[in-house]
Amino acid sequence: MNKDLALIRLDADTVLLQARGPDVDTFLQGQLSNDISRLSGKQAQLSSYNSPKGRMLAVLTLMRRDGGIDLELPRSIAEPIAKRLRMFVLRSKLTLTIATDEASLGLVGAEAPAALAAAGLPAPAEALGYAVAGELRVLRRFGDTPRYSVHGPVAAIEALASRLSDAPTAGFDAWMRAQILAGEPVVGAQTQDRFVAQMANLDRLGGISFDKGCYTGQEIVARLHYLGQLKRRLFLCSGTGAAPEAGASIHLGGQDQSVGEVVQSAPGAAGGFVASVVLQLSQAEADGLHVGDTALSRPQPYFID
């Protein structure tokens, strides 16, 4: 049994929004923060969908497929996001459909590339590297620890799960923990319309194009980039006890004023929890941060300036 490998079912918590039609690229170019023209069949793309105020409504992973584009996002916000995007389709020739015949698996750990190879699948080496093998698509995710998602028709994913039946399985908490440690931000229902994309490090992760032209929320994102002073960033924290809820306020000492918010949290591998938090840069080296009665560790930056 491979000890440094976890097999995780993802489709209960994430889903693909399938964009199909001749106007897909043009439409999404006017809606999302990244440059769709640079999305290739071998490289996926991170992007944000923003409100007119420039605040993120979703963080999306985009993959080209069958002449269209798949947008991966949390299942909990998929229907509202799809509904909102459809409002702006107007005369554009495309459809936006939440996939019901697709499933996905996650593999996390140093043995993940070997496990994929044993199953006859490629294992891209670079973050957001994307490869197609028959009915299955393999995507390398962010993080120093190898982490992959595999997408495909339900029957093909079930067959893959059978071929990987010797691999230890884990719940979705393990995937969230890996996301948090890798610094890959997730926007859920509790954190929609809270953060400008740079606050969640999307500029550091290649999720924003500053030369593509207009898109929803672009004026605010660009103004912050060219003229503003970013006062909040994404940090990694940990703590003991139960994981705090996304959107929970972070305070310093006995102060009433919030200095940040929890973006995502998950149980730690050895107890306690890990959390990604958007925090005022002035508190980047603070001790005494807490969520309710739960103390947080000193924040750790995902990127060193």
Side-chain angles (χ1 to χ4, degrees), residues 54-56 194-204 208 210 220-235 278-284 303 305:
R55 305 279 170 151
M56 296 189 299
R194 299 281 191 94
F195 312 121
V196 177
Q198 290 99 314
M199 296 179 187
N201 289 343
L202 255 69
D203 54 335
R204 305 287 185 88
I208 307 172
F210 293 104
I220 306 300
V221 175
R223 185 186 303 159
L224 181 59
H225 177 68
Y226 290 110
L227 303 174
Q229 182 178 359
L230 187 64
K231 296 181 179 179
R232 294 180 176 233
R233 275 286 188 190
L234 193 72
F235 291 86
V278 166
L279 192 67
Q280 292 177 7
L281 291 174
S282 60
Q283 309 301 329
F303 296 91
D305 292 319

Side-chain angles (χ1 to χ4, degrees), residues 98-115:
I98 295 175
T100 57
D101 57 351
E102 293 273 317
S104 54
L105 283 175
L107 291 91
V108 180
E111 298 298 323

Side-chain angles (χ1 to χ4, degrees), residues 17-94:
L17 176 59
Q18 298 172 327
R20 301 289 186 270
D23 293 340
V24 163
D25 282 37
T26 302
F27 174 75
L28 292 179
Q29 186 78 328
Q31 298 295 325
L32 306 183
S33 65
N34 217 334
D35 188 349
I36 302 299
S37 68
R38 297 177 181 173
L39 177 64
S40 76
K42 295 184 179 180
Q43 190 76 14
Q45 191 178 80
L46 200 66
S47 194
S48 66
Y49 178 45
N50 307 318
S51 72
K53 296 185 296 182
R55 305 279 170 151
M56 296 189 299
L57 300 174
V59 176
L60 307 160
T61 302
L62 278 62
M63 297 165 275
R64 285 207 181 273
R65 178 187 169 210
D66 300 335
I69 296 175
D70 287 345
L71 301 86
E72 185 199 52
L73 73 167
R75 187 175 288 275
S76 61
I77 62 170
E79 189 55 55
I81 291 297
K83 182 178 180 181
R84 186 182 180 95
L85 282 169
R86 291 184 192 118
M87 291 170 55
F88 303 101
V89 169
L90 302 177
R91 295 183 180 179
S92 298
K93 296 178 181 179
L94 78 153

